[in-house]
Amino acid sequence: MPDISEFCPGCGRPVGAPEALLAADSRDALLAVLAYLTVVPAILFLAVPALNRNRFVRFHCWQSIFFAAAAAVTGLVMKLLFGVFSILPAVGLLLAWLCVGVVFIGTAVLWVLLMVKAAQGQSYELPVIGSMAAQLSNKGIPR
């Protein structure tokens, strides 16, 4: 491969980029997608020793748990903001519903994006919770 190449002609990955966490097979990708459905499968996958050893599945389980917690906190904040905005005269109620709709659509799109990336066998790290999930997924697993 020439030194000026930015992408590998065989696989299309960037040359010189850090190696991303990828699924070993379609079973791992399916388990990662199932981890995002609700928090229950993610917790169960972390509890099962055979699945707990897989770094890819473990990363997506932790990220799913942190994403669900962040969505719950965001929901509580939006409930508080809805109450504050709805008491404003004139456009307060409209502004409250607009904020709720934007946050809901953003959360749903991000949730679907995480599931699609997991189905493709890729690990997409969210800015804050992704790094925490990566740290927890690396704990206790021999390299």
Side-chain angles (χ1 to χ4, degrees):
M1 184 171 1
D3 290 336
I4 60 169
S5 296
E6 291 187 29
F7 297 96
C8 174
C11 66
R13 290 190 187 151
V15 176
E19 192 65 29
L21 187 61
L22 298 173
D25 58 4
S26 60
R27 176 183 168 267
D28 294 344
L30 178 65
L31 290 172
V33 171
L34 290 175
Y36 285 110
L37 289 179
T38 62
V39 178
V40 176
I43 293 171
L44 287 176
F45 293 162
L46 288 174
V48 175
L51 300 175
N52 196 5
R53 291 186 195 104
N54 188 331
R55 228 174 107 213
F56 180 78
V57 174
R58 189 175 168 132
F59 166 77
H60 285 288
C61 287
W62 280 115
Q63 185 160 271
S64 171
I65 292 169
F66 290 144
F67 180 71
V73 169
T74 303
L76 291 174
V77 169
M78 287 310 301
K79 187 174 184 177
L80 176 70
L81 285 177
F82 187 86
V84 169
F85 285 152
S86 63
I87 61 173
L88 294 175
V91 295
L93 193 59
L94 178 66
L95 183 62
W97 279 109
L98 181 66
C99 287
V100 168
V102 167
V103 168
F104 175 76
I105 290 172
T107 304
V109 166
L110 189 56
W111 179 56
V112 170
L113 173 77
L114 290 172
M115 288 184 17
V116 167
K117 287 295 190 179
Q120 291 174 347
Q122 301 173 0
S123 60
Y124 179 77
E125 286 189 22
L126 293 173
V128 175
I129 64 177
S131 60
M132 293 184 337
Q135 287 176 351
L136 287 173
S137 68
N138 290 332
K139 274 188 179 178
I141 296 178
R143 296 196 182 244

